Amino acid sequence: MRVLRRALGTLLVLGAVSCTAAQTGDARAGDDPPAALTPFERLLPAPLSVRAGGPGYSFGPGTVIRTGPGAGPEVRRVGELLAGQLRGPDGPALPVVAGVRGDGIRLRVDGAEDGLGDEGYRLVSAPGGIDIVARTPAGLFRGGQTLRQLLPVSGPGTVPGGTVTDRPRFAYRGAMVDIARHFFTVEQVKRYVDQLVPYKVNTLHVHLTDDQGWRLAIDSWPRLAQYGGAGEVGGGPGGHWTKEEYRELVAYAGERYVDVVPEIDMPGHTNAALASYAELNCDGKAPPRYTGVKVGFSSLCVAKERTYAFVDEVLGELAELTPGRHLHIGGDEAHATPAADYAAFMDRAQQVVGRYGKTVMAWHQLAGARPAPGAVLQYWGHDRTSAADRAEVVAAAKAGHPLILSPADRVYLDMKYEAATGPGLSWAGYVPVARSYSWDPGAYLAGVPESAVLGVEAPLWTENVATRAEWELMAFPRVLGLAELGWSPAAALDWTAYSRRLAAQGPRMEAQGIGFHRSPDVPWTR
Ligand code: TNX
């Protein structure tokens, strides 16, 4: 911390960035909007601090990415990934070479850079090259994303001179996708990972099971995926992921420093499981599969021992597939489970998670039962959530449960922007881009100190989102705002300034082929 504070003393803190496009010498400014922000000003999420000035670095045909000193294979891999991201169609080859002496992009891990934390970095751009220094390879990767944004949309060109010193405000910056209501493939979800990493999102939560579908193969209960996965909302064929596919997603995300949090929603939202195995039902009869959009009608049979064998075996296989810390066990909208049964069930399910060496994550309804020590609660309330429900969550946070904030009327990506939005729902109200961005996670729940907030997450529920195009329309651009709320310092959060940064991302999202919502509250320039 001391190092960072000392460094900050010499830097202009965010908001004071004052270079002009002319000073930055952005050689190909033409492919960013006219009267555009300077490259430093358009960074999204806004960094902790920037000191712009001095001549910058121009990529040339011979530019290389250098790693070292003593960089292991992980730093090299970060270099290769970054080269792949930076290389435009006609850009330089950007080979990755060992040793940081010489011109080029120099990636260096320095364990003594305590002030940069687990994901922070410092990027210095000057005529001799660009230095990215971090305490961890993850920090180098995040710094590499900043470098991408400092370049013109078309790829390697000139990076203006200056220093960015940056680290996230919150440790957890997530996006969730529901592949249960409508099925999506691993390839489609990987594409989402690619679309999120430029904005420094570090967690992908996958809602794997619900009433309408069970989407992950479980060896000890094969009918869950085979039968329970063969359907979806509206009667489509559905589908499921094999373990191999799931591992592939986890590895792909992991290489980009995105942690995958799997969710098995219990004891409600379980019709697909109940339909697959009669023995999981209290009356021993399997219900039909479900293709509607109601919630809150299904429950595992809390009184049956067989239910706990199911929980144990499913979570055991899931833990084995999960390198990350968290297993999400749902716990929301268990309207068909009496309160005492709910608490009893969640006690046992949480014990199972603990036995497999993982940390419980659950929707905030767990606060009304008995959250296990350390359990992370995901708050999805909204401005009309009752004072009593809110008080339960506040009390849990005060008792030491870290919170993930996903307020439904701010960051539920399935909420329509406005009445005319085609896909999506509106039970939490319409959520225009400005509303989605305009709240402060550190001060959102009265009585919850910022230190109790582990981070933020934007869920995309898919009852009424059936295609990848609809998914992109709902997620973009709102998910960028969530990324900024999770990363940027509180002092940087300002809608007017943000809306200009967001507008500058328009051509970048276009270049990535993202079909985003051209919301009228953003000053898009083209
Ligand atoms: C509430 S959020 C749900 C989901 C729905 C969503 C639709 C939560 C934990 N439960 O089951 O898909 O609303 O917006």
Side-chain angles (χ1 to χ4, degrees), residues 178 181 207 210 263 265 269 295 330-333 363-365 378 380 408 412 414-415 425 427 459 461-463:
D178 167 13
R181 271 55 177 274
H207 185 76
D210 214 301
E263 179 187 353
D265 201 347
H269 290 276
V295 297
D332 59 313
E333 297 174 323
W363 298 103
H364 75 250
Q365 277 71 18
Q378 184 166 10
W380 60 284
Y412 263 31
D414 62 320
M415 291 301 124
L425 305 173
W427 64 263
W461 301 99
T462 59
E463 285 100 323

PDB file of all heavy atoms in Angstrom, residues 178 181 207 210 263 265 269 295 330-333 363-365 378 380 408 412 414-415 425 427 459 461-463, ligand 1:
ATOM      1  N   ASP A 178     -27.673 -17.710 -17.642  1.00  0.00           N
ATOM      2  CA  ASP A 178     -28.615 -18.797 -17.345  1.00  0.00           C
ATOM      3  C   ASP A 178     -28.715 -19.649 -18.609  1.00  0.00           C
ATOM      4  O   ASP A 178     -29.314 -19.223 -19.600  1.00  0.00           O
ATOM      5  CB  ASP A 178     -29.954 -18.130 -16.971  1.00  0.00           C
ATOM      6  CG  ASP A 178     -31.141 -19.084 -16.934  1.00  0.00           C
ATOM      7  OD1 ASP A 178     -30.934 -20.310 -16.958  1.00  0.00           O
ATOM      8  OD2 ASP A 178     -32.283 -18.572 -16.856  1.00  0.00           O
ATOM      9  N   ARG A 181     -32.826 -21.983 -18.775  1.00  0.00           N
ATOM     10  CA  ARG A 181     -34.128 -21.625 -19.379  1.00  0.00           C
ATOM     11  C   ARG A 181     -34.051 -21.787 -20.886  1.00  0.00           C
ATOM     12  O   ARG A 181     -34.930 -22.343 -21.523  1.00  0.00           O
ATOM     13  CB  ARG A 181     -34.517 -20.211 -18.980  1.00  0.00           C
ATOM     14  CG  ARG A 181     -35.316 -20.124 -17.692  1.00  0.00           C
ATOM     15  CD  ARG A 181     -34.632 -20.786 -16.492  1.00  0.00           C
ATOM     16  NE  ARG A 181     -35.404 -20.607 -15.287  1.00  0.00           N
ATOM     17  CZ  ARG A 181     -35.312 -19.526 -14.491  1.00  0.00           C
ATOM     18  NH1 ARG A 181     -34.409 -18.585 -14.747  1.00  0.00           N
ATOM     19  NH2 ARG A 181     -36.090 -19.420 -13.441  1.00  0.00           N
ATOM     20  N   HIS A 207     -25.447 -20.437 -14.440  1.00  0.00           N
ATOM     21  CA  HIS A 207     -26.656 -21.003 -13.827  1.00  0.00           C
ATOM     22  C   HIS A 207     -26.984 -22.263 -14.636  1.00  0.00           C
ATOM     23  O   HIS A 207     -27.549 -22.196 -15.713  1.00  0.00           O
ATOM     24  CB  HIS A 207     -27.763 -19.955 -13.906  1.00  0.00           C
ATOM     25  CG  HIS A 207     -29.029 -20.336 -13.211  1.00  0.00           C
ATOM     26  ND1 HIS A 207     -29.177 -20.299 -11.841  1.00  0.00           N
ATOM     27  CD2 HIS A 207     -30.231 -20.729 -13.702  1.00  0.00           C
ATOM     28  CE1 HIS A 207     -30.410 -20.659 -11.522  1.00  0.00           C
ATOM     29  NE2 HIS A 207     -31.078 -20.923 -12.622  1.00  0.00           N
ATOM     30  N   ASP A 210     -32.211 -25.547 -13.665  1.00  0.00           N
ATOM     31  CA  ASP A 210     -33.433 -24.862 -13.234  1.00  0.00           C
ATOM     32  C   ASP A 210     -34.612 -25.776 -13.585  1.00  0.00           C
ATOM     33  O   ASP A 210     -34.416 -26.916 -14.019  1.00  0.00           O
ATOM     34  CB  ASP A 210     -33.545 -23.470 -13.896  1.00  0.00           C
ATOM     35  CG  ASP A 210     -34.222 -22.466 -12.955  1.00  0.00           C
ATOM     36  OD1 ASP A 210     -35.375 -22.747 -12.559  1.00  0.00           O
ATOM     37  OD2 ASP A 210     -33.614 -21.449 -12.607  1.00  0.00           O
ATOM     38  N   GLU A 263     -23.423 -22.957 -10.718  1.00  0.00           N
ATOM     39  CA  GLU A 263     -24.574 -22.959  -9.802  1.00  0.00           C
ATOM     40  C   GLU A 263     -25.487 -24.143 -10.085  1.00  0.00           C
ATOM     41  O   GLU A 263     -25.933 -24.359 -11.210  1.00  0.00           O
ATOM     42  CB  GLU A 263     -25.388 -21.671  -9.943  1.00  0.00           C
ATOM     43  CG  GLU A 263     -26.616 -21.680  -9.012  1.00  0.00           C
ATOM     44  CD  GLU A 263     -27.572 -20.501  -9.205  1.00  0.00           C
ATOM     45  OE1 GLU A 263     -27.237 -19.578  -9.979  1.00  0.00           O
ATOM     46  OE2 GLU A 263     -28.658 -20.526  -8.602  1.00  0.00           O
ATOM     47  N   ASP A 265     -29.033 -24.913  -8.660  1.00  0.00           N
ATOM     48  CA  ASP A 265     -30.043 -24.212  -7.869  1.00  0.00           C
ATOM     49  C   ASP A 265     -30.895 -25.231  -7.092  1.00  0.00           C
ATOM     50  O   ASP A 265     -31.467 -26.146  -7.685  1.00  0.00           O
ATOM     51  CB  ASP A 265     -30.911 -23.359  -8.812  1.00  0.00           C
ATOM     52  CG  ASP A 265     -31.634 -22.233  -8.085  1.00  0.00           C
ATOM     53  OD1 ASP A 265     -31.670 -22.236  -6.836  1.00  0.00           O
ATOM     54  OD2 ASP A 265     -32.164 -21.345  -8.773  1.00  0.00           O
ATOM     55  N   HIS A 269     -36.502 -24.556  -7.930  1.00  0.00           N
ATOM     56  CA  HIS A 269     -35.954 -24.492  -9.291  1.00  0.00           C
ATOM     57  C   HIS A 269     -35.399 -25.846  -9.721  1.00  0.00           C
ATOM     58  O   HIS A 269     -34.362 -25.921 -10.378  1.00  0.00           O
ATOM     59  CB  HIS A 269     -34.859 -23.417  -9.380  1.00  0.00           C
ATOM     60  CG  HIS A 269     -35.386 -22.021  -9.273  1.00  0.00           C
ATOM     61  ND1 HIS A 269     -35.899 -21.321 -10.337  1.00  0.00           N
ATOM     62  CD2 HIS A 269     -35.508 -21.186  -8.203  1.00  0.00           C
ATOM     63  CE1 HIS A 269     -36.293 -20.115  -9.948  1.00  0.00           C
ATOM     64  NE2 HIS A 269     -36.082 -20.003  -8.652  1.00  0.00           N
ATOM     65  N   VAL A 295     -41.986 -19.483 -11.743  1.00  0.00           N
ATOM     66  CA  VAL A 295     -40.936 -19.845 -10.777  1.00  0.00           C
ATOM     67  C   VAL A 295     -41.615 -20.236  -9.461  1.00  0.00           C
ATOM     68  O   VAL A 295     -42.779 -19.910  -9.227  1.00  0.00           O
ATOM     69  CB  VAL A 295     -39.959 -18.678 -10.510  1.00  0.00           C
ATOM     70  CG1 VAL A 295     -39.208 -18.294 -11.760  1.00  0.00           C
ATOM     71  CG2 VAL A 295     -40.679 -17.470  -9.920  1.00  0.00           C
ATOM     72  N   GLY A 330     -27.660 -21.837  -5.144  1.00  0.00           N
ATOM     73  CA  GLY A 330     -28.984 -21.245  -5.418  1.00  0.00           C
ATOM     74  C   GLY A 330     -29.686 -20.800  -4.150  1.00  0.00           C
ATOM     75  O   GLY A 330     -29.284 -19.848  -3.504  1.00  0.00           O
ATOM     76  N   GLY A 331     -30.762 -21.485  -3.821  1.00  0.00           N
ATOM     77  CA  GLY A 331     -31.491 -21.151  -2.595  1.00  0.00           C
ATOM     78  C   GLY A 331     -32.527 -20.053  -2.755  1.00  0.00           C
ATOM     79  O   GLY A 331     -33.083 -19.581  -1.769  1.00  0.00           O
ATOM     80  N   ASP A 332     -32.810 -19.648  -3.984  1.00  0.00           N
ATOM     81  CA  ASP A 332     -33.778 -18.562  -4.214  1.00  0.00           C
ATOM     82  C   ASP A 332     -35.175 -19.112  -4.454  1.00  0.00           C
ATOM     83  O   ASP A 332     -35.333 -20.251  -4.895  1.00  0.00           O
ATOM     84  CB  ASP A 332     -33.357 -17.721  -5.427  1.00  0.00           C
ATOM     85  CG  ASP A 332     -33.269 -18.567  -6.690  1.00  0.00           C
ATOM     86  OD1 ASP A 332     -32.673 -19.657  -6.613  1.00  0.00           O
ATOM     87  OD2 ASP A 332     -33.805 -18.162  -7.730  1.00  0.00           O
ATOM     88  N   GLU A 333     -36.148 -18.288  -4.194  1.00  0.00           N
ATOM     89  CA  GLU A 333     -37.545 -18.552  -4.576  1.00  0.00           C
ATOM     90  C   GLU A 333     -37.996 -19.985  -4.279  1.00  0.00           C
ATOM     91  O   GLU A 333     -38.657 -20.606  -5.113  1.00  0.00           O
ATOM     92  CB  GLU A 333     -37.733 -18.265  -6.073  1.00  0.00           C
ATOM     93  CG  GLU A 333     -37.497 -16.819  -6.417  1.00  0.00           C
ATOM     94  CD  GLU A 333     -37.537 -16.555  -7.921  1.00  0.00           C
ATOM     95  OE1 GLU A 333     -37.060 -17.401  -8.698  1.00  0.00           O
ATOM     96  OE2 GLU A 333     -38.045 -15.495  -8.299  1.00  0.00           O
ATOM     97  N   TRP A 363     -28.021 -17.304  -3.286  1.00  0.00           N
ATOM     98  CA  TRP A 363     -28.820 -16.090  -3.396  1.00  0.00           C
ATOM     99  C   TRP A 363     -29.181 -15.621  -1.981  1.00  0.00           C
ATOM    100  O   TRP A 363     -29.162 -16.406  -1.029  1.00  0.00           O
ATOM    101  CB  TRP A 363     -30.059 -16.346  -4.260  1.00  0.00           C
ATOM    102  CG  TRP A 363     -29.687 -16.733  -5.675  1.00  0.00           C
ATOM    103  CD1 TRP A 363     -29.703 -17.990  -6.206  1.00  0.00           C
ATOM    104  CD2 TRP A 363     -29.209 -15.867  -6.711  1.00  0.00           C
ATOM    105  NE1 TRP A 363     -29.262 -17.964  -7.511  1.00  0.00           N
ATOM    106  CE2 TRP A 363     -28.954 -16.669  -7.851  1.00  0.00           C
ATOM    107  CE3 TRP A 363     -28.955 -14.494  -6.795  1.00  0.00           C
ATOM    108  CZ2 TRP A 363     -28.481 -16.159  -9.058  1.00  0.00           C
ATOM    109  CZ3 TRP A 363     -28.478 -13.978  -8.010  1.00  0.00           C
ATOM    110  CH2 TRP A 363     -28.252 -14.794  -9.117  1.00  0.00           C
ATOM    111  N   HIS A 364     -29.536 -14.351  -1.852  1.00  0.00           N
ATOM    112  CA  HIS A 364     -29.592 -13.758  -0.513  1.00  0.00           C
ATOM    113  C   HIS A 364     -30.684 -14.335   0.382  1.00  0.00           C
ATOM    114  O   HIS A 364     -30.676 -14.101   1.587  1.00  0.00           O
ATOM    115  CB  HIS A 364     -29.711 -12.232  -0.598  1.00  0.00           C
ATOM    116  CG  HIS A 364     -31.061 -11.720  -0.984  1.00  0.00           C
ATOM    117  ND1 HIS A 364     -31.337 -11.133  -2.198  1.00  0.00           N
ATOM    118  CD2 HIS A 364     -32.233 -11.698  -0.307  1.00  0.00           C
ATOM    119  CE1 HIS A 364     -32.607 -10.774  -2.248  1.00  0.00           C
ATOM    120  NE2 HIS A 364     -33.175 -11.110  -1.116  1.00  0.00           N
ATOM    121  N   GLN A 365     -31.602 -15.128  -0.167  1.00  0.00           N
ATOM    122  CA  GLN A 365     -32.612 -15.748   0.688  1.00  0.00           C
ATOM    123  C   GLN A 365     -31.986 -16.625   1.766  1.00  0.00           C
ATOM    124  O   GLN A 365     -32.589 -16.855   2.808  1.00  0.00           O
ATOM    125  CB  GLN A 365     -33.594 -16.590  -0.148  1.00  0.00           C
ATOM    126  CG  GLN A 365     -34.709 -15.786  -0.784  1.00  0.00           C
ATOM    127  CD  GLN A 365     -34.233 -14.892  -1.921  1.00  0.00           C
ATOM    128  OE1 GLN A 365     -33.157 -15.093  -2.466  1.00  0.00           O
ATOM    129  NE2 GLN A 365     -35.032 -13.905  -2.265  1.00  0.00           N
ATOM    130  N   GLN A 378     -25.538 -13.499  -2.436  1.00  0.00           N
ATOM    131  CA  GLN A 378     -25.726 -12.678  -3.640  1.00  0.00           C
ATOM    132  C   GLN A 378     -27.064 -11.958  -3.543  1.00  0.00           C
ATOM    133  O   GLN A 378     -28.128 -12.574  -3.635  1.00  0.00           O
ATOM    134  CB  GLN A 378     -25.660 -13.558  -4.888  1.00  0.00           C
ATOM    135  CG  GLN A 378     -25.747 -12.753  -6.171  1.00  0.00           C
ATOM    136  CD  GLN A 378     -25.351 -13.553  -7.393  1.00  0.00           C
ATOM    137  OE1 GLN A 378     -25.183 -14.777  -7.344  1.00  0.00           O
ATOM    138  NE2 GLN A 378     -25.192 -12.856  -8.516  1.00  0.00           N
ATOM    139  N   TRP A 380     -30.058  -9.843  -4.702  1.00  0.00           N
ATOM    140  CA  TRP A 380     -30.727  -9.504  -5.977  1.00  0.00           C
ATOM    141  C   TRP A 380     -32.005  -8.714  -5.727  1.00  0.00           C
ATOM    142  O   TRP A 380     -32.919  -8.706  -6.536  1.00  0.00           O
ATOM    143  CB  TRP A 380     -30.988 -10.760  -6.813  1.00  0.00           C
ATOM    144  CG  TRP A 380     -31.856 -11.808  -6.176  1.00  0.00           C
ATOM    145  CD1 TRP A 380     -31.491 -12.683  -5.207  1.00  0.00           C
ATOM    146  CD2 TRP A 380     -33.231 -12.090  -6.479  1.00  0.00           C
ATOM    147  NE1 TRP A 380     -32.544 -13.499  -4.872  1.00  0.00           N
ATOM    148  CE2 TRP A 380     -33.627 -13.156  -5.643  1.00  0.00           C
ATOM    149  CE3 TRP A 380     -34.167 -11.558  -7.375  1.00  0.00           C
ATOM    150  CZ2 TRP A 380     -34.910 -13.698  -5.661  1.00  0.00           C
ATOM    151  CZ3 TRP A 380     -35.444 -12.100  -7.399  1.00  0.00           C
ATOM    152  CH2 TRP A 380     -35.808 -13.163  -6.544  1.00  0.00           C
ATOM    153  N   ALA A 408     -31.652  -6.154  -8.879  1.00  0.00           N
ATOM    154  CA  ALA A 408     -32.390  -6.525 -10.089  1.00  0.00           C
ATOM    155  C   ALA A 408     -32.789  -5.320 -10.919  1.00  0.00           C
ATOM    156  O   ALA A 408     -32.842  -5.386 -12.144  1.00  0.00           O
ATOM    157  CB  ALA A 408     -33.622  -7.338  -9.702  1.00  0.00           C
ATOM    158  N   TYR A 412     -29.852  -6.501 -13.595  1.00  0.00           N
ATOM    159  CA  TYR A 412     -30.429  -7.691 -14.226  1.00  0.00           C
ATOM    160  C   TYR A 412     -30.493  -7.423 -15.723  1.00  0.00           C
ATOM    161  O   TYR A 412     -31.292  -6.617 -16.205  1.00  0.00           O
ATOM    162  CB  TYR A 412     -31.822  -7.990 -13.650  1.00  0.00           C
ATOM    163  CG  TYR A 412     -31.778  -9.029 -12.555  1.00  0.00           C
ATOM    164  CD1 TYR A 412     -30.669  -9.143 -11.735  1.00  0.00           C
ATOM    165  CD2 TYR A 412     -32.844  -9.915 -12.359  1.00  0.00           C
ATOM    166  CE1 TYR A 412     -30.616 -10.111 -10.737  1.00  0.00           C
ATOM    167  CE2 TYR A 412     -32.804 -10.875 -11.370  1.00  0.00           C
ATOM    168  CZ  TYR A 412     -31.686 -10.970 -10.566  1.00  0.00           C
ATOM    169  OH  TYR A 412     -31.639 -11.928  -9.589  1.00  0.00           O
ATOM    170  N   ASP A 414     -31.598  -9.118 -17.968  1.00  0.00           N
ATOM    171  CA  ASP A 414     -32.814  -9.563 -18.673  1.00  0.00           C
ATOM    172  C   ASP A 414     -33.953  -8.550 -18.532  1.00  0.00           C
ATOM    173  O   ASP A 414     -35.019  -8.755 -19.117  1.00  0.00           O
ATOM    174  CB  ASP A 414     -33.265 -10.946 -18.188  1.00  0.00           C
ATOM    175  CG  ASP A 414     -33.621 -10.974 -16.710  1.00  0.00           C
ATOM    176  OD1 ASP A 414     -32.908 -10.328 -15.914  1.00  0.00           O
ATOM    177  OD2 ASP A 414     -34.607 -11.632 -16.348  1.00  0.00           O
ATOM    178  N   MET A 415     -33.741  -7.489 -17.776  1.00  0.00           N
ATOM    179  CA  MET A 415     -34.783  -6.456 -17.716  1.00  0.00           C
ATOM    180  C   MET A 415     -34.723  -5.620 -18.998  1.00  0.00           C
ATOM    181  O   MET A 415     -33.632  -5.207 -19.418  1.00  0.00           O
ATOM    182  CB  MET A 415     -34.582  -5.542 -16.498  1.00  0.00           C
ATOM    183  CG  MET A 415     -34.845  -6.226 -15.175  1.00  0.00           C
ATOM    184  SD  MET A 415     -36.528  -6.880 -15.053  1.00  0.00           S
ATOM    185  CE  MET A 415     -36.153  -8.608 -14.683  1.00  0.00           C
ATOM    186  N   LEU A 425     -37.679  -9.194 -19.671  1.00  0.00           N
ATOM    187  CA  LEU A 425     -38.802  -9.094 -18.733  1.00  0.00           C
ATOM    188  C   LEU A 425     -38.812  -7.683 -18.151  1.00  0.00           C
ATOM    189  O   LEU A 425     -37.910  -6.888 -18.423  1.00  0.00           O
ATOM    190  CB  LEU A 425     -38.622 -10.118 -17.597  1.00  0.00           C
ATOM    191  CG  LEU A 425     -38.447 -11.589 -18.020  1.00  0.00           C
ATOM    192  CD1 LEU A 425     -38.100 -12.453 -16.812  1.00  0.00           C
ATOM    193  CD2 LEU A 425     -39.711 -12.104 -18.704  1.00  0.00           C
ATOM    194  N   TRP A 427     -40.295  -7.227 -14.612  1.00  0.00           N
ATOM    195  CA  TRP A 427     -40.850  -7.261 -13.251  1.00  0.00           C
ATOM    196  C   TRP A 427     -40.108  -6.335 -12.286  1.00  0.00           C
ATOM    197  O   TRP A 427     -40.690  -5.872 -11.311  1.00  0.00           O
ATOM    198  CB  TRP A 427     -40.916  -8.700 -12.712  1.00  0.00           C
ATOM    199  CG  TRP A 427     -39.577  -9.378 -12.536  1.00  0.00           C
ATOM    200  CD1 TRP A 427     -38.970 -10.226 -13.400  1.00  0.00           C
ATOM    201  CD2 TRP A 427     -38.686  -9.233 -11.413  1.00  0.00           C
ATOM    202  NE1 TRP A 427     -37.747 -10.622 -12.918  1.00  0.00           N
ATOM    203  CE2 TRP A 427     -37.549 -10.036 -11.690  1.00  0.00           C
ATOM    204  CE3 TRP A 427     -38.723  -8.518 -10.214  1.00  0.00           C
ATOM    205  CZ2 TRP A 427     -36.469 -10.145 -10.815  1.00  0.00           C
ATOM    206  CZ3 TRP A 427     -37.644  -8.618  -9.342  1.00  0.00           C
ATOM    207  CH2 TRP A 427     -36.543  -9.428  -9.643  1.00  0.00           C
ATOM    208  N   PRO A 459     -26.442 -10.590 -13.719  1.00  0.00           N
ATOM    209  CA  PRO A 459     -27.005 -11.840 -14.230  1.00  0.00           C
ATOM    210  C   PRO A 459     -27.821 -11.640 -15.511  1.00  0.00           C
ATOM    211  O   PRO A 459     -28.501 -10.631 -15.663  1.00  0.00           O
ATOM    212  CB  PRO A 459     -27.940 -12.305 -13.100  1.00  0.00           C
ATOM    213  CG  PRO A 459     -27.589 -11.463 -11.898  1.00  0.00           C
ATOM    214  CD  PRO A 459     -27.099 -10.162 -12.485  1.00  0.00           C
ATOM    215  N   TRP A 461     -30.714 -13.681 -17.096  1.00  0.00           N
ATOM    216  CA  TRP A 461     -31.687 -14.776 -17.074  1.00  0.00           C
ATOM    217  C   TRP A 461     -32.258 -14.913 -18.472  1.00  0.00           C
ATOM    218  O   TRP A 461     -32.334 -13.918 -19.217  1.00  0.00           O
ATOM    219  CB  TRP A 461     -32.790 -14.485 -16.051  1.00  0.00           C
ATOM    220  CG  TRP A 461     -32.234 -14.315 -14.670  1.00  0.00           C
ATOM    221  CD1 TRP A 461     -31.979 -13.142 -14.033  1.00  0.00           C
ATOM    222  CD2 TRP A 461     -31.838 -15.353 -13.771  1.00  0.00           C
ATOM    223  NE1 TRP A 461     -31.444 -13.382 -12.779  1.00  0.00           N
ATOM    224  CE2 TRP A 461     -31.350 -14.738 -12.600  1.00  0.00           C
ATOM    225  CE3 TRP A 461     -31.841 -16.752 -13.844  1.00  0.00           C
ATOM    226  CZ2 TRP A 461     -30.879 -15.460 -11.506  1.00  0.00           C
ATOM    227  CZ3 TRP A 461     -31.372 -17.469 -12.757  1.00  0.00           C
ATOM    228  CH2 TRP A 461     -30.898 -16.833 -11.600  1.00  0.00           C
ATOM    229  N   THR A 462     -32.652 -16.138 -18.806  1.00  0.00           N
ATOM    230  CA  THR A 462     -32.972 -16.347 -20.223  1.00  0.00           C
ATOM    231  C   THR A 462     -34.383 -16.892 -20.491  1.00  0.00           C
ATOM    232  O   THR A 462     -34.609 -17.522 -21.510  1.00  0.00           O
ATOM    233  CB  THR A 462     -31.921 -17.275 -20.886  1.00  0.00           C
ATOM    234  OG1 THR A 462     -31.909 -18.524 -20.182  1.00  0.00           O
ATOM    235  CG2 THR A 462     -30.534 -16.657 -20.859  1.00  0.00           C
ATOM    236  N   GLU A 463     -35.321 -16.634 -19.575  1.00  0.00           N
ATOM    237  CA  GLU A 463     -36.690 -17.056 -19.881  1.00  0.00           C
ATOM    238  C   GLU A 463     -37.145 -16.488 -21.215  1.00  0.00           C
ATOM    239  O   GLU A 463     -37.834 -17.136 -21.990  1.00  0.00           O
ATOM    240  CB  GLU A 463     -37.675 -16.546 -18.821  1.00  0.00           C
ATOM    241  CG  GLU A 463     -37.628 -17.271 -17.502  1.00  0.00           C
ATOM    242  CD  GLU A 463     -36.826 -16.493 -16.479  1.00  0.00           C
ATOM    243  OE1 GLU A 463     -35.815 -15.865 -16.867  1.00  0.00           O
ATOM    244  OE2 GLU A 463     -37.208 -16.517 -15.296  1.00  0.00           O
TER     245      GLU A 463
HETATM  246  C1  TNX B   1     -35.684 -14.109 -10.410  1.00  0.00           C
HETATM  247  S1  TNX B   1     -32.955 -13.818  -9.377  1.00  0.00           S
HETATM  248  C2  TNX B   1     -35.017 -15.316 -10.339  1.00  0.00           C
HETATM  249  C3  TNX B   1     -34.855 -16.126 -11.551  1.00  0.00           C
HETATM  250  C4  TNX B   1     -35.544 -15.521 -12.726  1.00  0.00           C
HETATM  251  C5  TNX B   1     -35.345 -14.033 -12.733  1.00  0.00           C
HETATM  252  C6  TNX B   1     -35.936 -13.367 -13.928  1.00  0.00           C
HETATM  253  C7  TNX B   1     -33.249 -15.122  -8.816  1.00  0.00           C
HETATM  254  C8  TNX B   1     -32.294 -15.542  -7.849  1.00  0.00           C
HETATM  255  N1  TNX B   1     -34.342 -15.769  -9.236  1.00  0.00           N
HETATM  256  O1  TNX B   1     -35.306 -17.425 -11.339  1.00  0.00           O
HETATM  257  O2  TNX B   1     -34.993 -16.075 -13.869  1.00  0.00           O
HETATM  258  O3  TNX B   1     -35.918 -13.490 -11.574  1.00  0.00           O
HETATM  259  O4  TNX B   1     -35.611 -12.019 -13.968  1.00  0.00           O
END
